[in-house]
């Protein structure tokens, strides 16, 4: 079976080796006579899978012992609601940095629960950069500061971790978790939907500092309460067991690749090549400030938008899938997560080069 190069922003490419392993085990997990999908989440075998996945993630990300790792559901979007419910801790205001579409969604949900102070917004420059530390208008009395280290749609990425002077920092790492090293100790919470660098959709990983737990708003539903998830090993209800298992296989694969630093080096190379190519001609362009271009999501536009449809049809025919930009912004976007091999980027550049020659 041929596997083509998939540049989808999410659900995104998974490592072929992971899918092959899942295929081998799909009917009978390690000779047990049943699929992981058919196991009780409380069975010895599944609990071992779940614990191993957590341990591998802790190893990969160097997660300190005073952080809980929660395997939740509802995607990153549900976190937009869970964060204020769990993290206000008696306060009434929170700071949000607005660097794009996902920041805005997080802000909109938080406004239902607290006063949102937008500490900086990049809307004025059409989200083509991020604010500097000195541009952040932080409120010392905020319950937390929320930001989006990598904005998936417009491809804008922070090159620094905001300093919040003791106020817990919360980061939506959905599209860049595991792509490079993160110093977890700088954060109150790091969270990420799974369907980019972690595994299939259906899981959301929440890494939370223990001392922040236990102060959820009284009306918080049990399924949205971090403390309840922490107390129950993320098995308060039936978790998405197969997604959890596949995430575990992805973590093992990443360890085999040499871990986060090793993949980060490849990621840098992939992104640099593609941006260098885009910058090297006037047929393609990317509007983002060079200092803040995303390593994972590379949006670009063609000089002549009338060629967009043709570009997408021909790239697909050439085995380069899912290059359309997000429906809200149009243009093109190549998402080049961990599981997208460097050869995919080389093939994309070769295609783009040829397309530009023929159509200029
Ligand atoms: N945050 C970011 C940065 C994202 O890229 C996405 C999805 N692309 C979300 C949040 C929403 O994730 P979900 O669809 O899992 O709710």
């Amino acid at each position: 079976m041929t596997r083509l190069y998939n540049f989808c922003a999410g659900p995104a490419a998974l490592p072929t080796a992971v899918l092959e392993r899942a295929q081998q085990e799909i009917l009978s997990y390690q000779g047990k006579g049943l699929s992981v999908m058919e196991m009780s989440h409380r069975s010895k075998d599944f609990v071992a899978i779940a614990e191993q996945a957590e341990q591998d993630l802790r190893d990969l990300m160097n997660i300190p012992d005073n952080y809980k790792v929660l395997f939740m559901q509802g995607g990153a979007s549900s976190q937009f609601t869970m964060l204020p419910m769990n993290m206000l801790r008696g306060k009434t205001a929170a700071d949000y940095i607005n660097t794009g579409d996902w920041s805005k969604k997080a802000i909109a949900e938080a406004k239902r629960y607290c006063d949102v102070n937008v500490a900086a917004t990049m809307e004025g420059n059409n989200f083509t950069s991020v604010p500097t530390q000195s541009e952040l208008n932080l409120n010392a009395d905020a319950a937390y500061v929320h930001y989006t280290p990598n904005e998936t749609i417009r491809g804008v990425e922070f090159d620094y971790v905001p300093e919040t002077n003791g106020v817990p920092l919360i980061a939506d790492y959905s599209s860049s978790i595991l792509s490079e090293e993160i110093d977890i100790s700088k954060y109150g919470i790091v969270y990420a939907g799974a369907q980019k660098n972690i595994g299939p959709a259906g899981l959301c990983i929440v890494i939370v500092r223990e001392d922040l737990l236990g102060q959820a708003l009284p009306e918080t539903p049990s399924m949205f309460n971090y403390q309840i998830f922490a107390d129950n090993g993320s098995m308060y209800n039936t978790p998405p067991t197969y997604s959890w298992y596949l995430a575990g296989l992805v973590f093992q694969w990443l360890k085999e690749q040499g871990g986060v630093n090793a993949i980060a080096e490849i990621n840098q190379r992939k992104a640099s090549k593609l941006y260098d190519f885009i910058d090297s001609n006037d047929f393609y362009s990317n509007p983002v400030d060079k200092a803040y271009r995303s390593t994972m999501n590379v949006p670009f536009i063609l000089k002549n938008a009338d060629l967009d449809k043709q570009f997408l049809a021909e790239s697909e025919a050439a085995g380069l899938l899912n290059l359309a930009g997000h429906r809200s912004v149009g243009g093109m976007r190549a998402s080049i997560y961990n599981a997208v091999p460097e050869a995919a980027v080389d093939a994309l550049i070769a295609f783009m080069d040829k397309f530009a020659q023929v159509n200029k």
Side-chain angles (χ1 to χ4, degrees):
M1 180 59 76
T2 311
R3 279 176 54 76
L4 304 176
Y5 292 135
N6 180 11
F7 298 93
C8 190
L14 286 164
T16 299
V18 163
L19 295 176
E20 283 170 348
R21 168 94 184 265
Q23 183 181 41
Q24 277 165 19
E25 295 182 337
I26 197 162
L27 293 178
S28 174
Y29 175 71
Q30 296 189 352
K32 306 277 174 173
L34 79 175
S35 173
V36 174
M37 268 181 271
E38 302 168 304
M39 285 178 188
S40 164
H41 54 297
R42 309 213 182 269
S43 63
K44 202 162 93 302
D45 286 327
F46 186 76
V47 169
I49 289 169
E51 287 177 353
Q52 187 64 50
E54 176 175 337
Q55 189 55 52
D56 286 336
L57 183 65
R58 284 184 175 276
D59 296 345
L60 283 164
M61 296 186 70
N62 280 318
I63 300 174
D65 288 344
N66 63 325
Y67 284 75
K68 295 284 187 195
V69 178
L70 311 180
F71 289 76
M72 302 190 83
Q73 301 177 47
S77 300
S78 297
Q79 294 305 319
F80 299 162
T81 307
M82 288 186 219
L83 290 171
M85 290 191 121
N86 285 275
M87 286 297 129
L88 283 172
R89 298 168 295 120
K91 299 201 179 238
T92 56
D95 285 348
Y96 278 72
I97 303 173
N98 181 9
T99 52
D101 309 75
W102 294 111
S103 305
K104 284 206 284 195
K105 289 209 161 149
I107 289 168
E109 290 300 320
K111 279 185 174 164
R112 300 175 196 274
Y113 302 95
C114 63
D115 296 328
V116 170
N117 167 45
V118 177
T121 176
M122 294 291 108
E123 195 137 27
N125 70 13
N126 217 9
F127 299 118
T128 51
S129 66
V130 311
T132 60
Q133 176 72 42
S134 61
E135 286 170 330
L136 300 178
N137 170 26
L138 298 173
N139 166 12
D141 214 28
Y144 58 84
V145 179
H146 179 280
Y147 83 118
T148 313
N150 184 64
E151 278 282 356
T152 321
I153 294 178
R154 290 170 205 258
V156 182
E157 187 167 14
F158 276 78
D159 68 342
Y160 72 101
V161 178
E163 172 54 55
T164 58
N165 301 313
V167 175
L169 180 61
I170 299 182
D172 174 0
Y173 264 102
S174 290
S175 46
S176 54
I177 193 166
L178 294 169
S179 70
E180 61 177 2
E181 217 172 46
I182 301 173
D183 181 354
I184 294 288
S185 70
K186 292 190 170 158
Y187 295 89
I189 293 183
V190 161
Y191 68 98
Q195 63 272 21
K196 300 158 196 312
N197 266 341
I198 293 172
L203 263 184
C204 184
I205 304 276
V206 181
I207 303 165
V208 51
R209 214 175 67 209
E210 274 168 358
D211 62 286
L212 298 171
L213 293 171
Q215 297 181 65
L217 299 177
E219 66 268 29
T220 305
S222 302
M223 281 297 292
F224 275 24
N225 190 313
Y226 294 154
Q227 180 75 62
I228 289 179
F229 263 70
D231 289 346
N232 290 278
S234 299
M235 296 203 197
Y236 173 72
N237 78 325
T238 314
T241 49
Y242 201 71
S243 295
W244 195 328
Y245 154 76
L246 274 177
L249 295 186
V250 172
F251 300 154
Q252 285 172 25
W253 171 83
L254 194 47
K255 280 186 155 179
E256 285 157 18
Q257 308 311 301
V260 173
N261 277 338
I263 207 94
E265 211 174 289
I266 300 171
N267 287 335
Q268 279 306 331
R269 213 162 55 221
K270 281 153 54 183
S272 300
K273 270 186 197 179
L274 188 47
Y275 285 117
D276 285 350
F277 172 74
I278 290 168
D279 291 342
S280 72
N281 65 74
D282 60 6
F283 192 86
Y284 302 102
S285 63
N286 168 292
V288 179
D289 186 328
K290 282 189 184 165
Y292 307 119
R293 283 172 164 180
S294 167
T295 309
M296 293 285 100
N297 309 101
V298 182
F300 58 93
I301 55 170
L302 276 54
K303 191 172 64 180
N304 176 1
D306 292 344
L307 291 170
D308 283 4
K309 272 199 176 141
Q310 188 189 332
F311 180 92
L312 287 170
E314 290 184 14
S315 56
E316 190 178 325
L320 307 167
L321 308 182
N322 295 312
L323 285 164
H326 190 269
R327 61 190 188 286
S328 62
V329 294
M332 308 300 155
R333 174 177 50 172
S335 292
I336 48 176
Y337 300 116
N338 289 349
V340 176
E342 193 164 354
V345 176
D346 294 337
L348 173 61
I349 292 171
F351 170 83
M352 287 169 70
D353 194 20
K354 199 164 144 213
F355 187 88
Q357 309 278 348
V358 174
N359 295 288
K360 73 174 164 221

